[in-house]
């Protein structure tokens, strides 16, 4: 009995007999209003619970286990030919030179307009650097005089006016490739001189009965007129300004002038016969245009074969082999390929400060390293003073190139200005105004993970945070200076940060906060409205009395 009395005394929800309760019309209206108020507050609280999200950021050690890092790039070298532009990747795990995989190079003219190759992956093919059939040294060849004429600025202008075809070797005395080429170049000049002598002797023999012998002066003048191609050379160490005006910055540069105008730079094998073949092809194409059917270089081709003791005729070399011949004689097929490349070289005019647009991506080791763009060639020595690595960065980022599109589509919450940190160098132009200088860029790469709001968390502790991964870049650029004997390079140094940033969507209220709020709305509304109704009831009751 005592226990029942004690339990009844603890009842917090005691009941009032129904007979003691009285309903009023005023109470009904107030109850409806209270119910409407509770429903309104309930709806607003629900909307606030599901809509009050914010971006929560955490920082911790980077748990990224990807061994490789993708570098997306689109860079224009404003004053560098694609023939020399190379991309190298350097890291503590190894060095990759002249990377061409996943990269395309687009040749640009002086106005920045793409040339006839829509997209091309340039690779620098090996060429023969000197003629192994020329056994004499340059000193031995010079014992009976120099046939390759040395030119300066004044004599070059005169030679361009006098010679229909002028083939000039722009070289530097310190250039190793130039030294290797010198005997071959002298033999080429001797070949042209002997061809002119045969033409003059034939004409003298034809006219001997009528006009007698020529004097030495007349003979020398006749040699100049009959010379198939004037072979000359310019020392760019002595005549720096001349070579700068001719835009020579790689040695040796073998340039052909026709009627005083530069036509093409020779880029084939540096053998006497190969160069004579190329010159003969140029002469044929040019004289077909002007309607002349006298080909003097063909005579030089015959003389070169006699000197070098080559029995194969020019027609046999040009004749294309069959597929079976290619299988039986692969060296013949390679020789034909080089011959065709040599003939097509004259169609490409590389002048007026050509540029090169490099686009694609690199897969680099995920360790501190750098990739750099510089002028280099296995067949030339580059003049450091004339190397200009001014460049424009159209795009440079790390990771998935479509990350921004994915984030917009999936409606990820990002910090303010986050998109700009993915590619801070985009649209920047870096111009070098002086020799022996280049811009270097330092990139701190920070792994940034975002939680996907539409996916459940992965249970694997080895998987990355659910969602997407981006790489923010903290960049700085500075102008670096080089010694006069070092070729400048546009360098991009990257350093993956050991600290990663994690972003995720969070809500201001938790589920138990939400339920507490709902109970507070119900109880608070009931209590407050009840107090208001009691006050109204008491006031009206006093007036009635």
């Amino acid at each position: 009995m005592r226990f029942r009395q004690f339990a009844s005394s603890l009842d917090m929800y005691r009941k009032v007999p129904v007979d003691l309760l009285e309903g009023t019309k005023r109470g009904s209206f107030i109850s409806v209003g209270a119910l409407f108020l509770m429903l309104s507050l309930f709806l607003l609280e629900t909307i606030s619970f599901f809509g009050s999200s914010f971006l929560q950021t955490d920082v911790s050690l980077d748990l990224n286990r990807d061994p490789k890092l993708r570098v997306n790039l689109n860079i224009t070298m404003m004053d560098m030919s694609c023939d020399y532009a190379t991309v190298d990747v350097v890291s503590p795990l190894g060095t990759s030179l002249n990377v061409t995989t996943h990269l395309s190079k687009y040749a640009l003219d002086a106005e920045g307009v793409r040339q006839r190759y829509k997209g091309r992956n340039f690779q620098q093919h090996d060429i023969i650097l000197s003629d192994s059939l020329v056994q004499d040294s340059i000193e031995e060849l010079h014992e009976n005089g120099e046939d390759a004429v040395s030119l300066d600025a004044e004599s070059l202008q005169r030679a361009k006016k006098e010679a229909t075809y002028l083939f000039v070797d722009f070289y530097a005395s310190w250039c190793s490739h130039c030294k290797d080429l010198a005997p071959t170049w002298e033999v080429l000049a001797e070949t042209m001189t002997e061809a002119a002598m045969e033409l003059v002797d034939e004409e003298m023999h034809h006219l001997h009965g009528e006009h007698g012998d020529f004097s030495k002066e007349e003979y020398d003048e006749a040699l100049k007129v009959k010379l198939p191609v004037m072979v000359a050379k310019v020392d760019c160490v002595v005549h720096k300004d001349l070579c700068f005006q001719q835009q020579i910055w790689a040695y040796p540069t073998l340039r052909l002038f026709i009627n005083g105008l530069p036509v093409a730079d020779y880029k084939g094998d540096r053998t006497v016969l190969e160069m004579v073949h190329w010159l003969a092809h140029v002469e044929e194409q040019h004289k077909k245009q002007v309607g002349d059917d006298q080909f003097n270089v063909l005579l030089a081709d015959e003389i070169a074969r006699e000197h070098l003791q080559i029995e194969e005729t020019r027609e046999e070399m040009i004749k294309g082999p069959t597929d079976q011949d290619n299988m039986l004689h692969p060296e013949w097929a390679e020789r034909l390929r080089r011959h065709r490349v040599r003939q097509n070289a004259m169609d490409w005019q590389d002048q007026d400060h050509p540029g090169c647009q490099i686009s694609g991506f690199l897969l680099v080791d995920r360790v501190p390293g750098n990739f750099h763009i510089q002028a280099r060639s296995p067949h030339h020595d580059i003049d450091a003073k004339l190397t200009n690595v001014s460049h424009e960065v159209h795009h440079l980022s790390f990771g998935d190139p479509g990350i921004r599109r994915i984030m917009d589509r999936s409606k990820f919450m990002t910090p303010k200005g986050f998109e700009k940190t993915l590619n801070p160098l985009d649209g920047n132009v870096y111009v070098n105004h002086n020799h022996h200088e280049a811009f270097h860029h330092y990139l701190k790469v920070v792994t940034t993970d975002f939680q996907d709001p539409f996916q459940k968390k992965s249970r694997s502790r080895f998987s990355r945070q659910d969602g997407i991964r981006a790489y923010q870049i903290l960049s700085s650029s500075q102008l670096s200076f080089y010694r006069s004997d070092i070729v400048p390079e546009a360098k991009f140094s990257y350093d993956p940060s050991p600290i990663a940033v994690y972003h995720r969507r969070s809500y201001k209220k938790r589920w138990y906060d939400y339920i507490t709020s709902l109970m507070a709305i119900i109880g608070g509304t009931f209590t407050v409205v009840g107090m208001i109704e009691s006050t109204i009831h008491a006031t009206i009751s006093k007036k009635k009395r």
Side-chain angles (χ1 to χ4, degrees):
M1 178 66 78
R2 292 182 178 180
F3 176 75
R4 287 184 177 180
Q5 294 178 351
F6 177 74
S8 299
S9 64
L10 290 178
D11 186 4
M12 298 173 58
Y13 303 98
R14 299 186 181 190
K15 306 297 185 293
V16 178
V18 178
D19 296 338
L20 300 178
L21 297 177
E22 180 182 4
T24 64
K25 187 181 293 184
R26 182 185 69 249
S28 299
F29 284 113
I30 292 176
S31 297
V32 172
L35 183 62
F36 177 76
L37 179 61
M38 283 189 289
L39 290 175
S40 299
L41 294 176
F42 175 80
L43 178 62
L44 293 175
E45 181 66 19
T46 303
I47 293 175
S48 175
F49 173 73
F50 287 103
S52 60
S53 60
F54 65 97
L55 186 67
Q56 182 172 343
T57 303
D58 299 318
V59 178
S60 67
L61 290 176
D62 188 3
L63 302 179
N64 187 352
R65 296 179 179 271
D66 297 336
K68 294 289 185 179
L69 185 61
R70 173 171 173 151
V71 184
N72 311 294
L73 58 95
N74 186 352
I75 301 172
T76 291
M77 304 305 295
M78 303 167 66
D79 193 9
M80 182 181 295
S81 169
C82 286
D83 293 325
Y84 304 120
T86 60
V87 180
D88 300 334
V89 177
V90 180
S91 76
L93 300 183
T95 299
S96 299
L97 300 178
N98 192 20
V99 178
T100 56
T101 306
H102 308 305
L103 287 180
S104 294
K105 299 179 184 179
Y106 302 87
L108 310 176
D109 62 12
E111 302 298 327
V113 179
R114 284 188 184 180
Q115 297 297 287
R116 63 187 200 147
Y117 296 109
K118 292 182 179 179
R120 184 175 177 186
N121 193 332
F122 279 81
Q123 297 188 25
Q124 298 179 345
H125 299 285
D126 290 336
I127 64 173
I128 300 175
L129 301 180
S130 61
D131 198 331
S132 60
L133 299 178
V134 178
Q135 301 295 329
D136 296 333
S137 65
I138 189 64
E139 292 78 11
E140 294 172 342
L141 293 172
H142 284 171
E143 289 179 357
N144 58 348
E146 294 187 32
D147 288 274
V149 183
S150 296
L151 300 177
D152 55 18
E154 182 179 353
S155 58
L156 176 61
Q157 294 299 324
R158 187 166 59 252
K160 289 186 341 185
K161 293 179 181 179
E162 295 178 355
T164 303
Y165 303 101
L166 175 63
F167 201 17
V168 183
D169 173 17
F170 293 91
Y171 71 98
S173 56
W174 46 263
C175 166
S176 59
H177 297 307
C178 301
K179 295 177 181 178
D180 294 338
L181 178 63
T184 303
W185 194 254
E186 183 64 22
V187 171
L188 176 65
E190 289 182 359
T191 301
M192 295 300 170
T193 302
E194 291 187 19
M197 292 174 63
E198 284 199 16
L199 292 173
V200 172
D201 291 342
E202 182 180 352
E203 185 172 346
M204 288 178 59
H205 179 73
H206 178 70
L207 300 176
H208 183 272
E210 299 179 9
H211 302 283
D213 295 335
F214 288 155
S215 65
K216 186 178 184 306
E217 292 76 11
E218 292 175 334
Y219 186 83
D220 292 341
E221 190 64 28
L223 284 180
K224 293 181 181 179
V225 174
K226 294 296 183 180
L227 194 65
V229 177
M230 182 177 181
V231 179
K233 55 187 177 182
V234 174
D235 188 347
C236 290
V237 175
V238 178
H239 307 289
K240 296 180 180 179
D241 295 338
L242 173 60
C243 293
F244 182 77
Q245 293 173 1
Q246 294 293 325
Q247 302 167 15
I248 306 298
W249 57 301
Y251 307 116
T253 295
L254 310 180
R255 181 162 298 173
L256 177 65
F257 297 85
I258 298 180
N259 293 326
L261 298 177
V263 174
D265 292 348
Y266 178 74
K267 298 170 185 174
D269 291 333
R270 296 172 188 166
T271 63
V272 175
L273 204 56
E274 292 292 315
M275 289 189 284
V276 170
H277 279 181
W278 183 73
L279 292 171
H281 174 74
V282 173
E283 183 191 37
E284 290 175 5
Q285 297 297 320
H286 175 251
K287 289 193 173 181
K288 285 179 181 179
Q289 295 177 1
V290 299
D292 189 353
D293 57 356
Q294 183 178 359
F295 305 121
N296 296 331
V297 180
L298 293 178
L299 178 58
D301 179 76
E302 297 176 3
I303 295 174
R305 292 176 187 281
E306 292 178 5
H307 278 226
L308 301 176
Q309 298 180 356
I310 297 178
E311 297 179 356
E312 215 167 26
T313 65
R314 179 170 179 263
E315 289 72 18
E316 290 174 342
M317 292 188 65
I318 296 177
K319 181 181 178 182
T322 62
D323 294 338
Q324 184 176 2
D325 292 333
N326 286 341
M327 297 176 61
L328 296 177
H329 306 285
E331 70 282 354
W332 174 264
E334 176 64 16
R335 195 184 205 170
L336 176 65
R337 183 194 65 77
R338 291 182 174 179
H339 179 75
R340 289 174 176 169
V341 170
R342 180 186 66 253
Q343 288 193 342
N344 293 332
M346 66 170 296
D347 298 331
W348 181 264
Q349 297 184 5
D350 189 6
Q351 56 185 355
D352 296 331
H353 296 278
C356 185
Q357 182 178 352
I358 304 173
S359 63
F361 67 91
L362 301 169
L363 292 177
V364 300
D365 296 314
R366 200 173 170 277
V367 295
N370 73 80
F371 70 91
H372 54 264
I373 305 173
Q374 69 172 171
R376 190 174 67 249
S377 171
H379 320 125
H380 300 83
D381 287 334
I382 305 299
D383 191 338
K385 183 184 70 173
L386 301 180
T387 301
N388 185 358
V389 291
S390 298
H391 56 278
E392 179 180 359
V393 180
H394 304 291
H395 179 73
L396 180 63
S397 64
F398 291 82
D400 188 347
I403 194 67
R404 296 181 65 173
R405 182 177 65 257
I406 297 174
M407 294 178 67
D408 292 340
R409 185 174 63 247
S410 301
K411 299 180 180 180
F412 281 90
M413 295 184 65
T414 60
K416 185 178 180 180
F418 173 78
E419 290 79 6
K420 183 61 179 177
T421 63
L422 298 179
N423 40 20
L425 297 183
D426 285 14
N428 293 349
V429 180
Y430 302 91
V431 179
N432 306 122
H433 297 283
N434 302 305
H435 300 308
H436 309 300
E437 66 181 23
F439 278 94
H440 288 186
H441 310 280
Y442 301 91
L443 312 173
K444 194 72 172 180
V445 184
V446 182
T447 302
T448 306
D449 283 340
F450 287 84
Q451 181 182 5
D452 191 339
F454 303 105
Q455 289 185 0
K456 296 181 180 180
K457 286 189 176 181
S458 172
R459 295 183 179 181
S460 174
R461 66 187 182 94
F462 296 104
S463 64
R464 74 179 189 185
Q465 186 175 359
D466 295 315
I468 60 174
R469 172 166 293 157
Y471 292 93
Q472 294 179 270
I473 301 175
L474 304 176
S475 64
S476 64
S477 303
Q478 68 178 27
L479 190 62
S480 300
F481 300 93
Y482 288 78
R483 295 203 321 259
S484 59
D485 59 334
I486 297 179
V487 177
E489 59 188 12
K491 180 182 288 187
F492 298 81
S493 300
Y494 52 86
D495 182 14
S497 173
I499 303 298
V501 178
Y502 301 91
H503 296 294
R504 69 176 185 272
R505 185 191 296 267
S506 296
Y507 298 92
K508 295 180 180 179
K509 292 184 179 181
R510 302 182 183 276
W511 64 270
Y512 48 82
D513 294 329
Y514 173 66
I515 294 177
T516 302
S517 297
L518 294 183
M519 295 179 67
I521 288 173
I522 296 172
T525 302
F526 185 83
T527 301
V528 171
V529 172
M531 293 174 61
I532 294 174
E533 198 279 334
S534 298
T535 302
I536 294 174
H537 178 73
T539 302
I540 294 176
S541 298
K542 283 185 178 181
K543 287 184 178 181
K544 287 182 177 181
R545 292 177 185 176

